[in-house]
Structures are given as structure tokens and as C-alpha cells.
């Protein structure tokens, strides 16, 4: 039976389904009723399944319907923020990539273990608020998209930030926070694709994020900054394109290759498909990785017609969404679909 490519209607669904259509697949969007008026405009979406809530994908009825349609589900950030790792693993519809590694993205301790196994340089973790002695970034556990993060250079600042989060009913306990060394430099997001069919790693693009309100603070003259208390937030609003100095590419490929090999050792079958290494280039052009995403990231939405890097690798404008569909097509043709699904 012909496979259909499906995904949740949010995050990067337009790019994923447009790419699938360009590779000759039928497409399916699972989305909330309130978002339908946006998605109905796009001709490359063949089937729409309307739900009240993204969590409805856990309903056996919905999963049966997806399986009847021979749907392959493409995971992205909305699946991860809507469901727990246990829930994702319980899904009985074939998922593109390794759904087991999504747990390693969601859990800070597992995440750190995989980054260390990948020989990535990572920011120092500060174990207790009493050990804060330099600028730190305090984060919430889980994929919060930068919401609720705050900076501090001492214990008092940590306690003030924590009280504010309690008042705003975001946390109840200090253990819900995670303190990390603040890395000075420029944040950069590196997009990779690993093909278990060709055994090749492809560097597909790079972006920077546009975060509110940290990226707007420089628009406020310093005399006003001093007069009002400004606590920056890191809520992602969009993404901006970037190219790297060509001499950085050697290190980029090395990090990507190490990450693929470490994933295969720690979380078999590894990382078939897209992933992103997220970090800061310091003033010495060292890349310090503060996060990874073990699936497609929304920053790839920039390159729906291909990126400066994918253009070196592919004749047709190759978005990450299209690259996923191409891998599924190649796997089907070689009778190796099992190598790209879990
Ligand atoms: P995250 O949700 O972990 O991707 O982080 C949100 C934003 O916080 C990033 O885009 C960076 O701007 C910033 N950030 C996160 N961790 C660090 C760090 N250790 N040092 C400096 N900036 C960071």
C-alpha cells in the first residue's frame, strides 16, 4: 500500500508536507479545528484530520485511522511539547527517525550524557544556587522554548528569579530549575541530516533565533535600561538565516559525526534523519553546545527552497522536510524502510 506522510499541524508542518508532496507522496495534516482556517489555504495538503487537541493522537481510534491510511508520522517540536516520552513511545503509528531518542532530548540528565558521549564541549552545570559565582542562565526542565529563563550572577538573583516564577505559577520547587554557565558569544543552530541508507551525514543549514524580548533590548537606550527593571526572556518568535565562515565547517562535520556515532552507541538505532546542535560560538570560535534537538527544528523553515549548504549537495532546492521524504522514498525503493522508522 502506498505510504502517506503525516504530521501535526504546527511548528514545521508546512515545510514537511510541501517537501513530501514534491517527492511524490500524498500528505496528511493532523491539526486542531481552530487552526484549520490557516492550513486549508495550501494545495499540497491532501488529507486533514481535525482534532480538539494534539494529545488526541494518543486515541486508539485516531491511530487506527492513520494506520489504515498507511501514514508515516514525522515528529517535530509540537509532538514533543504535547506528549511525554512514555506517550510518544506508546504511539502505534510508524514514526520517522528514532522515537526512543526523543526521551534523551526531553530529559536534561540523559541529554547531558549523550552530549558528553559525543565529545561535545558543553557549558558547566552549577549544582546548587550556593555555587553561583559568575553569570549563569537558569532554565526550566523540558522543552519550554526559552520561556521563563532568567540570568543571574549570584544566589540572591537566583532566589528573586525563582520567587517570580512561583508567583507566576510556572514552578513550585527550586529543583524544577537548572543552572548553567552563561556562555558569552553568539548563539547558532546547526541543522544536520543523517542517512542510514547512504551512511552519510549532511550539513543542511544554519540559523539564528529571534527571541523576545532579549533581541529587542539593544533597541532601548541604556539610560532607559537602567531606569526600568529589565529581565530578558528568550521566547522564540522566528529565525534568521546565517552562513558560517567556511573554515568552521571542518569542526561542524566532526561534531555531527561524533553525535551520530554516540547516538548509535547509547540509543540504538541512533539518529536516522534530522537533528540540530544548538550552541554558542565563543570569541575564540569554539562551539559550546547547550542543547540538541533529536528531530527536525523550526529553524529549517527558512530553507523551504534549499539552503546555502543543501545547494552544494542537491540539484533541486532541498528543504529538510523534502530531505525526510526523499529518505523515505529511497528506503522504500531499497526495501529498507525499517532502517528509518521506529
Ligand atoms: P534553549 O531553550 O535552551 O534553546 O535556550 C533559549 C536561548 O537561551 C538560546 O537561544 C540562547 O540564546 C540562550 N541560551 C541557552 N543556554 C545558554 C547558555 N548556556 N549560554 C548562553 N546563552 C544560552
Amino acid at each position: 500500500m502506498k505510504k502517506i506522510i503525516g504530521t501535526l499541524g504546527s511548528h514545521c508542518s508546512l515545510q514537511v508536507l510541501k517537501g513530501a508532496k514534491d517527492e511524490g507522496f500524498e500528505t496528511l495534516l493532523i491539526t486542531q479545528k481552530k487552526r484549520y482556517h490557516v492550513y486549508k489555504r495550501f494545495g499540497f495538503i491532501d488529507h486533514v484530520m481535525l482534532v480538539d487537541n494534539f494529545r488526541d493522537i494518543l486515541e486508539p481510534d485516531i491511530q487506527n485511522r492513520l494506520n489504515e491510511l498507511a501514514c508515516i508520522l514525522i515528529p517535530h517540536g509540537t509532538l514533543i511539547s504535547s506528549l511525554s516520552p512514555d506517550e510518544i513511545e506508546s504511539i502505534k503509528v510508524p514514526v520517522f527517525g528514532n522515537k526512543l531518542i526523543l526521551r534523551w532530548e526531553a530529559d536534561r540528565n540523559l541529554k547531558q550524557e549523550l552530549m558528553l558521549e559525543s565529545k561535545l564541549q558543553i557549558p558547566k552545570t552549577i549544582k546548587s544556587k550556593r555555587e553561583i559565582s559568575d553569570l549563569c542562565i537558569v532554565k526550566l526542565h523540558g522543552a519550554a522554548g526559552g520561556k521563563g529563563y532568567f540570568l543571574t550572577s549570584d544566589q540572591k538573583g537566583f532566589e528573586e528569579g525563582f520567587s517570580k516564577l512561583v508567583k507566576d505559577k510556572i514552578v513550585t520547587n527550586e529543583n524544577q530549575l537548572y543552572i548553567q554557565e552563561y556562555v558569552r558569544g553568539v548563539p547558532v543552530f546547526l541543522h544536520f541530516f543523517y542517512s542510514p541508507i547512504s551512511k552519510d551525514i549532511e550539513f543542511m543549514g544554519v540559523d539564528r533565533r529571534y527571541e523576545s524580548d532579549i533581541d529587542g533590548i539593544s533597541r532601548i537606550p541604556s539610560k532607559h535600561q537602567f531606569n526600568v527593571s529589565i529581565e530578558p526572556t528568550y521566547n522564540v518568535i522566528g529565525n534568521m538565516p546565517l552562513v558560517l565562515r567556511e573554515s568552521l565547517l571542518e569542526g561542524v562535520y566532526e561534531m555531527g559525526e561524533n553525535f551520530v556515532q554516540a547516538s548509535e552507541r547509547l540509543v540504538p538505532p541512533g539518529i536516522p534523519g534530522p537533528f540540530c546542535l544548538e550552541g554558542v560560538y565563543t570569541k575564540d570560535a569554539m562551539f559550546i553546545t547547550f542543547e540538541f534537538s533529536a528531530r527536525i527544528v523550526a529553524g529549517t523553515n527558512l530553507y523551504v527552497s534549499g539552503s546555502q549548504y543543501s545547494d552544494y549537495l542537491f540539484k533541486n532546492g532541498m528543504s529538510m522536510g523534502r530531505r525526510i521524504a526523499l529518505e523515505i522514498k529511497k528506503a522504500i525503493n531499497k526495501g529498507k524502510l525499517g532502517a528509518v522508522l521506529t
Side-chain angles (χ1 to χ4, degrees):
M1 191 177 173
K2 264 184 116 177
K3 298 288 178 198
I4 284 191
I5 297 210
T7 199
L8 297 183
S10 182
H11 192 267
C12 56
S13 60
L14 291 174
Q15 185 210 149
V16 165
L17 298 188
K18 164 90 168 54
K21 194 75 189 170
D22 288 343
E23 286 300 324
F25 286 94
E26 268 187 55
T27 61
L28 178 143
L29 185 85
I30 306 146
T31 198
Q32 292 162 308
K33 292 171 186 145
K34 62 179 184 188
R35 300 186 191 220
Y36 180 59
H37 76 282
V38 174
Y39 290 109
K40 71 179 183 196
R41 292 156 209 270
F42 304 108
F44 53 83
I45 301 175
D46 298 311
H47 307 268
V48 177
M49 202 178 264
L50 293 178
V51 290
D52 292 316
N53 190 298
F54 288 126
R55 293 183 55 75
D56 294 353
I57 191 153
L58 294 172
E59 299 290 329
D61 261 13
I62 298 214
Q63 295 191 19
N64 288 341
R65 270 162 61 205
L66 292 173
N67 282 328
E68 278 161 22
L69 288 166
C71 176
I72 295 175
L73 190 66
I74 314 298
H76 56 56
T78 304
L79 189 77
I80 293 187
S81 57
S82 308
L83 305 183
S84 70
D86 282 344
E87 288 169 335
I88 293 175
E89 285 172 22
S90 77
I91 292 177
K92 303 243 166 10
V93 178
V95 172
F96 179 76
N98 180 1
K99 67 180 174 188
L100 303 178
I101 203 171
L102 299 176
R103 178 183 294 278
W104 292 62
E105 173 181 333
D107 179 306
R108 285 227 184 263
N109 296 325
L110 291 177
K111 176 173 268 182
Q112 182 149 340
E113 192 182 333
L114 183 48
M115 292 201 291
L116 288 173
E117 179 75 14
S118 308
K119 297 190 223 109
L120 294 168
Q121 300 229 44
I122 61 175
K124 242 189 292 157
T125 298
I126 315 295
K127 293 210 177 66
S128 143
K129 62 182 179 182
R130 280 171 285 280
E131 290 172 25
I132 301 175
S133 60
D134 198 352
L135 189 58
C136 292
I137 181 162
V138 183
K139 303 182 171 188
L140 305 176
H141 281 278
K147 263 191 210 150
Y149 290 9
F150 65 91
L151 302 185
T152 182
S153 323
D154 54 29
Q155 181 173 341
K156 187 165 161 277
F158 174 89
E159 284 162 355
E160 283 167 9
F162 169 67
S163 303
K164 192 165 176 302
L165 291 177
V166 172
K167 207 168 123 232
D168 294 344
K169 297 198 167 55
I170 295 171
V171 294
T172 50
N173 188 306
E174 283 186 7
N175 293 334
Q176 290 168 274
L177 299 179
Y178 174 84
I179 315 170
Q180 198 173 64
E181 166 197 5
Y182 186 89
V183 184
R184 293 160 172 85
V186 288
V188 168
F189 296 75
L190 307 170
H191 316 156
F192 296 91
F193 187 94
Y194 175 67
S195 165
I197 304 295
S198 69
K199 310 268 182 233
D200 261 344
I201 184 157
E202 295 155 9
F203 178 50
M204 292 288 284
V206 50
D207 77 288
R208 55 177 295 205
R209 287 186 185 163
Y210 202 37
E211 294 165 332
S212 189
D213 54 4
I214 183 76
D215 288 317
I217 285 174
S218 61
R219 296 169 63 90
I220 304 172
S222 61
K223 67 173 178 177
H224 298 293
Q225 290 191 10
F226 283 122
N227 285 341
V228 286
S229 124
I230 294 178
E231 190 54 69
T233 52
Y234 297 81
N235 191 15
V236 182
I237 300 299
N239 304 79
M240 296 182 284
L242 197 72
V243 283
L244 296 176
R245 278 172 60 178
E246 196 160 311
S247 57
L248 294 174
L249 289 183
E250 192 189 334
V252 165
Y253 272 100
E254 192 181 328
M255 288 189 289
E257 278 157 8
N258 286 341
F259 187 79
V260 168
Q261 287 161 14
S263 306
E264 286 173 351
R265 285 196 295 274
L266 293 188
V267 209
I271 184 97
F275 65 96
C276 180
L277 298 182
E278 315 178 358
V280 169
Y281 273 107
T282 65
K283 62 178 169 18
D284 307 317
M286 300 280 296
F287 191 75
I288 313 293
T289 313
F290 56 74
E291 290 277 352
F292 66 79
S293 295
R295 35 83 197 174
I296 185 169
V297 288
T300 60
N301 287 341
L302 281 164
Y303 305 120
V304 67
S305 308
S307 78
Q308 295 84 352
Y309 295 100
S310 69
D311 279 358
Y312 295 133
L313 300 171
F314 298 93
K315 277 203 203 89
N316 299 327
M318 185 61 68
S319 69
M320 191 65 95
R322 185 167 182 176
R323 183 66 189 85
I324 291 171
L326 177 64
E327 190 73 2
I328 294 173
K329 199 158 88 177
K330 284 185 181 170
I332 292 172
N333 290 341
K334 291 190 181 261
K336 290 185 171 174
L337 196 52
V340 299
L341 306 179
T342 45

